[in-house]
Structure formats: structure tokens, C-alpha cells
Amino acid sequence: MKNSKNVLNYLFGTATLGQLGEILDGRRQQKSDPVVYCIDQYFTKNPMIETLPFEKQDQVYYIDTSEEPHTDSVDSLVTTIKNSLTSGGFALPLSVIGIGGGITLDTAKAVSNLLTNDGKAEDYQGWDLVKKPGVYKIGIPTISGTGAEASRTCVLMNITKNLKLGMNSEHTIYDQLILDPDLTKTVPRNQYFYSGMDTYIHCIESLNGIYRNAIGDAFSREALNLCREVFLSDDMQSDGNREKLMIASYLGGCAIANSYVGVVHPFSAGLSVVLGTHHCVSNCIVLNSFEKFYPKEFEEFQRMKEKQKVELPAGITSGLSGDQFEKLYLSTIIHEKPLNNALGSDFKKILSREYVKEIFQRM
Ligand code: NAD
Ligand code: ZN
């Protein structure tokens, strides 16, 4: 097992968002220190905004969630932030805060890293390429499942390179989390299921991999227990279940920081890169056609889906060209670490071009 790091500080519980001001005040050297907020666009006109401890010098950016973050979109946001800091006479902000789902949390992580490390987002896509700690960052999730709040990566699409890959680094881990389950009350039902299932999928992939280890396994097992309690109950979005899913998401993020994903995520990344389908729904579509790779979990997934009466998009690959199937193959097979984790070093023999195409055709 590699030398592991987790989030240093976290608050958990309803109404803990109210403590953000105190946390910031505790770090402020001067009253005029600016804070950079990246906030999910959903909250533009939401009363939650009124409760944030904004100061006049703070910068607030609403993050568009119609597309998952791209290296280019992150670079342009960083340029805007740097220009604005310079014109206000500041070198760096006091903190970068991400408030939202995985898209917003990942954007804030990337911004924090790029404010202290020169170059472009794509320079850091890979493992342990970020050299300096980023700006002190606070993560406040408003939807549970991806574990982005806990993990050591921020996933970015790089269209030119046909690649979906994060800045995997210790410096990408949040310094402080505020886990306030009140914030997930408004998540639409299908989205709640898709994002929540990301935890389930991270953990089953980790437990079925060859790089599993005792600590990753312990995080995964408890996260899976919580997912089962939530998704096999009558009301997955009850107050108690939203709390449980927030904890599961955090534990799932820790699990994956200590191990690797498996076959679902590479196929899901292929769908996101080629068709633009979002991460969590893509994962569900992939697991839904993976009876062969994960038979027990496939069956449990069907029970959860039926219990919650959630529908999945169907026929998303119908009518694709040969060229598009080739791109799907290439953007799947590129994920060597997780595929090796799941299938061993001969994964390319198992996942032949024809077989991969056949699997995608079922989706
Ligand atoms: P998201 O950020 O994609 O948001 C999903 C939708 O829910 C958006 O429309 C958003 O506006 C909305 N939303 C968020 N909070 C809401 C709320 N409280 N009420 C109403 N609507 C709300 O959500 P996600 O599924 O958490 O994140 C997916 C992203 O996470 C992908 O970009 C994926 O690549 C990334 N990801 C990152 C990691 C990591 O370790 N860093 C792991 C897995 C996935
Ligand atoms: Zn995931």
C-alpha cells in the first residue's frame, strides 16, 4: 500500500455550513484577504447563497454543470481569477471554496492547484505531477456519491487528447470539508440515484480488484453497507438516508484513494469522452450491461433500481459510426491501471476491439 493521506479536517452534521465564516476568520491574516468561491450554478438564486459569509473583496464564480470540467474551461477560469486577483493587488486568495457536486468540487480543486503551480491543467493530468501545495481549499458537497470531496484527484476531460483523467496528487486533497446533509435536500430523484451509485460502484470495483488492501477494503465495506441501507429502503431521500449517503460518499472517496477502480469506470470514461454522457449516469449504464464482469453486484443493482423505480437512458450507442466505436475503444483501453486492477496484465487480450464494441452496442 502506498503512503496515504486523507482530508485533514471535516465537519459533519445538519447546519454545519453555518461554521464556514468561523473557519475562514480563523485563517485570515488581514480583513481584506479575498476568498474564491466556485458554486454550482443550481444555487444561483437559492436562499443558501444568502447564508454564505461573503466579504466585498471575494470572487464568486457559478459553475456551469451542463458539461463536465474540461482542461480548457479550467484554464480559462484560472486566467480570469488571476487577472482579478492582480487587479485587486493580491497574489493569492485566502482560500478556494467548492460548493456543489463533483463537477464543482473538481473545478475548485484544479483551480487551487493551478493558482500555485505554473502551466496548464493538462500538464498535471496523471499521477503525482503537481509539485507544490495548492491554495488552502474547502469542499462543501451538495450531492453525495462521487467521493470527490475525499479523493486525491479532480477529473478533467481533455478533448484534444481524447482523455478523461484527473490531477492525481496529494495536493489535490481538500484541506477542510463541511459535510452538511441539509444541502442535498433539493437533488432531483434520478440524479440522486445515479450519483449515489458512484459510491457503490467505486467500492465494488475496489473490492474486486487485485490492488485491494485491508484499509481500502474497510472503507469500501462500510460504504457499501450504507449504500444498501439507503437504496434498498423505501425512501432513499429521507433525512436519515441523505445523512447516510453523505457518509458513504466520503468513505467511498477514501476507499478509492487507497486502491483503484475496475472495469466500469474505463467504459464509463469512454462514454463521457465520446458521447458527453455524465460520469454517474454513464457508470449506471455500464454496470447495467456488465452481468459478466460483476454478476452479484449486477443483480443487486437491478434490485436497487427497481426498488427506487429509477429509469436509465437506453440505446445511447445505437446508430454510432465505426469511427465512433473506435474512439470508444481507444478511450476505454487507455485506462491501464484500473483495467489491470480488474482483469490483470492481459486485459487487452480479454478486451479485444470486437468484444469492447459488442459491449458498447448493448448500452
Ligand atoms: P454534478 O456536479 O455532475 O451535478 C449533477 C447535477 O446535480 C447538476 O445538474 C447540478 O447542478 C445538480 N445539483 C448539485 N447539487 C444539487 C442540489 N443540492 N440540488 C439540486 N441540484 C443539484 O454531480 P456529481 O454526480 O456529484 O459529479 C459528477 C462529476 O464528478 C463528474 O465530473 C465526475 O467526473 C466527477 N467525479 C470526480 C471524482 C473524484 O474523485 N474527483 C470521482 C467521481 C466522479
Ligand atoms: Zn466514479
Side-chain angles (χ1 to χ4, degrees), residues 123-184:
D123 302 338
Y124 301 102
Q125 284 185 293
W127 274 264
D128 303 310
L129 303 171
V130 182
K131 297 289 174 248
K132 295 184 221 156
V135 169
Y136 176 83
K137 46 189 169 294
I138 304 180
I140 308 179
T142 63
I143 178 171
S144 303
T146 64
E149 65 278 23
S151 72
R152 71 193 299 279
T153 188
C154 52
V155 185
L156 303 175
M157 310 265 265
N158 187 327
I159 298 302
T160 337
K161 291 189 180 165
N162 209 23
L163 184 68
K164 186 180 183 188
L165 187 61
M167 298 181 185
N168 237 295
S169 155
E170 280 203 358
H171 300 312
T172 308
I173 298 174
Y174 273 109
D175 300 289
Q176 169 78 54
L177 293 179
I178 298 182
L179 304 173
D180 183 343
D182 289 351
L183 295 173
T184 67

Side-chain angles (χ1 to χ4, degrees), residues 3 18 35 61 82 89 124 141 157 162 168 171 179 182 192 201 208 216 220 240 246 260 285 299 303 309 312 343 358:
N3 199 3
V35 171
Y61 298 93
K82 279 185 174 169
Y124 301 102
M157 310 265 265
N162 209 23
N168 237 295
H171 300 312
L179 304 173
D182 289 351
Y192 182 90
I201 294 170
N208 282 294
S220 291
M246 194 160 252
Y260 289 105
I285 294 169
E299 183 276 327
R303 275 195 288 133
K309 301 189 175 54
L312 284 180
L343 303 172
E358 201 186 301

Side-chain angles (χ1 to χ4, degrees), residues 189-249:
R189 210 180 150 68
N190 275 359
Q191 185 65 54
Y192 182 90
F193 181 85
Y194 301 150
S195 293
M197 286 314 295
D198 200 22
T199 296
Y200 179 87
I201 294 170
H202 288 157
C203 295
I204 61 151
E205 289 186 292
S206 169
L207 285 170
N208 282 294
I210 51 176
Y211 292 113
R212 56 187 291 190
N213 62 72
I215 293 179
D217 283 7
F219 280 125
S220 291
R221 275 196 302 267
E222 186 51 21
L224 279 181
N225 285 339
L226 290 165
C227 285
R228 289 182 178 119
E229 287 175 27
V230 171
F231 293 113
L232 293 170
S233 76
D234 290 337
D235 178 8
M236 65 178 178
Q237 289 177 287
S238 68
D239 288 352
N241 278 337
R242 282 185 297 95
E243 281 192 15
K244 282 182 188 170
L245 196 59
M246 194 160 252
I247 300 168
S249 176

